Each structure stands twice: as structure tokens, then as C-alpha cells.
Amino acid sequence: MLIGLDMTVLHLAAPRLSERLHPSGTELLWIVDIYGFMVAGFLATMGTLGDRVGRRRLLLTGAVAFAAASLLAACSTGVGMLIAARALLGVAGATLMPSTLSLISNMFRDPGQRRLAVAVWMTNFSIGGMVGPLIGGVFLEHFWYGSVFLLGVPVGVVLLIAGPLLLPEYRDPEAGRLDPISVALSIATVLPVVYGFKEIAQHGPGTLPLLSLAAGLCLGAVFVRRQLRLTDPMLDLRLFARPAFGVSLGGLTLGLFAVTGTQFLLLQYFQLVLGLSPLATGLWTLPAVAAGVVGALLAPLAAGRTNPVGIMAGGFLLAVPGLVLLADTDTKSGPALAVIGFAVMSFGVQAALALTNDVIISSAPPERAGNASGIGETGANLGEALGVAVAGSIAAAMYRAKLDGGSLPKGIGSDPAGAAGATLGGATEVAGRLPGRLGGELLALARTAFTDGMHVAALLNIGVLVALTVAHLTLLRRDTAQRSSAELDPDLQEAVPDSR
């Protein structure tokens, strides 16, 4: 729950960060999502390390590191320091997810109990991400913006006390070796690509962003070649040859991409466009939290009575009307329309995602189930981080295009104009220092520009969810039918290996 919460708790603090630290639009996105990228980049590495040194030991060590990084982030005095602290939080957070899931798998040997335990584990991760804004709103209502990072400290203390008493230790005597080169290549692939994308969205095409994109893609090709050649790869990319695995992983990654990116923009919309307080904004997210939990709990029950593929495809398709409502919001529509739209979206996507993890693991051979689980966790975290990066970059690009120098009200100096054109939080602060009519014109223009960017991001996510629906109804249904035929006809089993 703590890992999921830390993914989104900063979404509500973004306006306060803009006012206090004055980051650029690109820097603000790095503050928010560097955590998720580092978690995704180190998950597989920490999984292998836990097998070698012990899952409980890695979990307790990671808890100490997470608490220390939380304190560093809370005390950050500048943008660079906060980005570095968030990166350290991501590395520490990567020790917690694989450790807990592996310990659950060893504590519950009965398959039925294990499925329930893993479902509870996944539900808590989703709940953490959904309630992060609410908890952040409570803290921001009474304390400074850095207080949202302190949640990791008491959790770490409790874990250090209770862990040695309640948790068994587990080591894998046949654990694979660590491959530092693969770790470095995975990080060196993701970060330059994201940097280039954000810079292009923020400032337009340039030499450095294009070179960064090219470098990231080239390093990604090297990473893929290395994984295919290693006998014990960090990520077993051969699993992608199985359609059920690839489609389900894409559903998990892109489903969280759509939800997290939408949530990030929606929280800023509530605060900076509609003028709600952080606490009120957090409370308005509760319907979406409840809808998501209901969808996640109903989907496994329904899967026992009908085809799970249909439920997954139906969940993604059901989320589309919610995004249509979000694309219809404006500066005067109030919170109700946006809340209903996000709740519908949350219900549909969470219902689909409740089944994807099981398909990811069951579609891999039994001896590769651990690696498949690690890839799934990586995809989930990468989807959340990319959701913020892409949605935020699209909104930032639209915002800057609308607030170029010629469109601003006359009488605003160059420095205030630059701050107002960078982020909506900056425009809100500048408008508060201007005379009434001039400040009102600037604020109205900035709010309209932000909602226009939010509409474009919603349309992108509609396309993503429609594509996921089609992929599940075609590729995944076809793969399921082939595997069922192989089970009924022994002569086909050599052609279609059993992937359960």
C-alpha cells in the first residue's frame, strides 16, 4: 500500500511544489515520476538480490532505506535535491514489492489461500495509489508540502519491529546471478527516452532531445540483445512470444498508464481550475476509489462464471464513457461531472486489471513464473510513471502553446509572463500578484489552456483503451482457444505448448 501511495501522493502536492520551489514544467514532471521509473528499473534486480541474500533481510533493509529517503525528500530545499531524493525512494521502494510477493508465495502453500493472499496484495497496491491524493490532501491541509513524504517513516519503524517476529526468511539456493550491465542498460534506456519526450513536449524538437531519444533507443536495442543471449536474463523477453503474456502485460501497463495520467491531471484541475482545497480535492477522489475497489473485487467473482477475456475487454471498453465525460469538462462545469467520469473509468479499468496479473503468471511456464511476475510488476510501475510523464507532457505542451507571449493580457512583465507560461501553478501565483482585472484575465486564460490539454490527454487515453479492448477480443481470445484445443487434442500439444 505504501508503494502505491507514494506513486500518487505527490499528484496533489504538485501545485504547492510549483509555488514553493518554482520548477519548470519538465522539472515538475521529473519530481513526480522519477520515483516510478526507478522502482520499475530496479524491480528485477532486487528480486534476484532477495533470492541471494534473503527476502526478509532485503525487505527490512529496504524499509530502513525507504524511511531515510523519505526524510531526505521531506527536508529538500531545492528542485535538484528533491529529484535526487525521489530517485533514492524509488530504488528503496524496488526492494519492497518483490520481497513481499515472494514471502507471500512461500507463506501460503495452499493454492486457494495463495490466490487470495496475492489478490489482497494487489488490491492494497491499487488502494494505495487511489487514496494517495486523499492522504496527501489531509497532510497539505495542515502541514507543509514535504510532510507527504513522511508516511514512509512510521511504516518503516513498524516493519523493523514486527518483521523479525512475524516473517519467515527465504533464500533460493539456485538464485541467478546479478547482472549489473543489464541493470545499467535498463535505466539508461528508459530515462533518456523520457527526457527527450518531455523536452520536445515542453520546448519543441531540438538537437539535445532528439539525441537523447536516439541514444535511449539504441541502448534499448543493446539491452534486448543482451537479455536474449543470457542464459539467466534479468528479464526473460522470450515470454513475449506467448500472445497471452504480451497482451495481458500490455493491458496491465497501459491500463495503469491511462488511470494514473488521468488522475494526475484531474487533481490539478480540482485545485487550480476549480479552486478546491487539497483536502476537498482528496475527498472528491473517494467515489473513484470506491468504484475501483468494487470493480477489482467483482471481476474475479464474475470470471468464475464466464470467460475472463470478455471481462477484461469489457472493463477497458466500459472505461471509455468515463473518459468521454472528462473530455467534456471545462472551467465552469464543477467537480461532479469529472468525478462521475473518473469513477466510471476507475471501475472499468480496475475490473480488467484484477485479472491481468493471473493471466500473466499462468501464461508462463511454471519454471518462469517468478520472472513473469517480476516483468508484470515492472510493467505496472512503468505504466504508472509513463502515465504521468505522457499526460503531463501533453498537457504542458498544450498549455505553453496557448500561453505564448502574444496571447497573454497586456501589461504583464517578461518575468511574470515566463512563470505564468511554465505551469498553471505558476500562473495562479502570478495572477494573485496582479491587479484584479488583469489577474482575472490571466487566470481565466491559463485555466482554459490547462483544460484543453486535459481534453487532448483524455482523447489519447480513449484510443489506448479501445486498442486494448480490440487486442483482448482478438489476440487473447484466439490464444485462449488454441490452448483449450491443445488440452482437448493430445496431438496438438506439441504445436501449442501448455502455458498454464
Side-chain angles (χ1 to χ4, degrees):
M1 184 176 288
L2 180 65
I3 298 300
L5 188 149
D6 230 57
M7 286 279 186
T8 59
V9 72
L10 258 194
H11 293 185
L12 204 58
R16 296 285 183 91
L17 287 172
S18 297
E19 295 174 4
R20 302 293 179 85
L21 299 182
H22 305 288
S24 67
T26 302
E27 288 172 336
L28 179 61
L29 291 176
W30 276 116
I31 291 172
V32 173
D33 57 29
I34 187 65
Y35 169 84
F37 286 124
M38 298 305 284
V39 170
F42 281 92
L43 268 174
T45 301
M46 295 304 179
T48 303
L49 181 62
D51 285 340
R52 295 175 65 89
V53 306
R55 292 294 188 180
R56 185 179 68 182
R57 177 179 295 180
L58 182 65
L59 178 63
L60 299 179
T61 303
V64 174
F66 197 91
S70 297
L71 286 172
L72 181 63
C75 299
S76 296
T77 57
V79 172
M81 182 178 178
L82 184 53
I83 292 175
R86 289 280 289 171
L88 292 175
L89 269 173
V91 177
T95 67
L96 305 181
M97 289 187 71
S99 299
T100 52
L101 187 57
S102 176
L103 286 171
I104 285 174
S105 299
N106 287 278
M107 291 164 61
F108 297 94
R109 295 295 185 178
D110 177 76
Q113 290 184 345
R114 185 169 61 248
R115 281 194 296 269
L116 178 59
V118 172
V120 172
W121 181 89
M122 282 296 298
T123 301
N124 275 276
F125 176 71
S126 297
I127 290 175
M130 296 295 287
V131 303
L134 176 60
I135 296 176
V138 174
F139 274 64
L140 292 173
E141 193 78 9
H142 303 286
F143 308 106
W144 87 110
Y145 73 87
S147 64
V148 298
F149 299 110
L150 297 179
L151 297 168
V153 177
V155 175
V157 172
V158 171
L159 186 55
L160 286 175
I161 296 173
L165 300 175
L166 300 177
L167 297 177
E169 184 56 286
Y170 170 75
R171 294 181 181 87
D172 183 357
E174 300 180 2
R177 66 179 183 87
L178 289 174
D179 183 26
I181 296 177
S182 293
V183 177
L185 283 173
S186 66
I187 298 296
T189 296
V190 172
L191 296 185
V193 170
V194 175
Y195 169 79
F197 181 83
K198 291 180 178 181
E199 285 296 308
I200 291 173
Q202 187 81 359
H203 304 293
T207 302
L208 184 59
L210 292 176
L211 287 176
S212 179
L213 281 172
L217 294 175
C218 290
L219 289 170
V222 175
F223 174 79
V224 170
R225 289 189 62 186
R226 183 173 183 82
Q227 300 312 297
L228 293 175
R229 290 181 176 181
L230 291 174
T231 56
D232 188 22
M234 185 179 96
L235 294 179
D236 189 356
L237 301 180
R238 299 174 184 87
L239 292 171
F240 286 92
R242 300 169 178 265
F245 180 87
V247 173
S248 298
L249 180 64
L252 178 63
T253 303
L254 294 177
L256 288 172
F257 167 93
V259 169
T260 309
T262 300
Q263 184 186 51
F264 175 68
L265 296 179
L266 196 60
L267 294 174
Q268 295 186 71
Y269 169 79
F270 283 151
Q271 292 181 88
L272 298 177
V273 176
L274 301 184
L276 300 179
S277 69
L279 180 57
T281 297
L283 291 174
W284 275 109
T285 64
L286 282 178
V289 174
V293 171
V294 171
L297 294 178
L298 287 180
L301 298 176
R305 302 180 178 182
T306 185
N307 189 345
V309 176
I311 295 175
M312 295 163 68
F316 289 128
L317 186 61
L318 179 62
V320 170
L323 282 169
V324 172
L325 291 178
L326 291 174
D328 196 41
T329 58
D330 56 33
T331 59
K332 299 179 181 179
S333 59
L337 183 64
V339 168
I340 294 172
F342 190 46
V344 171
M345 179 192 183
S346 178
F347 178 87
V349 172
Q350 293 298 337
L353 297 185
L355 303 177
T356 55
N357 214 42
D358 178 64
V359 177
I360 288 171
I361 296 174
S362 64
S363 63
E367 67 274 11
R368 306 306 298 167
N371 201 277
S373 177
I375 295 176
E377 293 172 10
T378 301
N381 286 274
L382 194 61
E384 290 198 339
L386 283 173
V388 175
V390 174
S393 295
I394 290 174
M398 288 290 297
Y399 181 85
R400 290 182 64 85
K402 294 281 185 178
L403 265 75
D404 59 12
S407 64
L408 292 174
K410 303 298 182 182
I412 300 178
S414 58
D415 290 340
T423 64
L424 179 55
T428 302
E429 184 184 10
V430 170
R433 300 197 306 263
L434 295 175
R437 182 176 179 181
L438 188 59
E441 291 179 1
L442 172 62
L443 197 57
L445 179 63
R447 286 173 171 173
T448 300
F450 180 84
T451 55
D452 288 345
M454 192 170 73
H455 296 162
V456 174
L459 294 175
L460 170 67
N461 285 328
I462 288 174
V464 168
L465 294 178
V466 170
L468 287 176
T469 302
V470 173
H472 280 71
L473 288 176
T474 55
L475 299 176
L476 194 54
R477 187 183 293 275
R478 185 185 309 148
D479 182 71
T480 302
Q482 289 175 347
R483 288 190 287 120
S484 299
S485 298
E487 292 170 5
L488 295 173
D489 186 350
D491 295 334
L492 294 177
Q493 290 187 8
E494 291 185 2
V496 185
D498 186 6
S499 61
R500 287 179 303 167

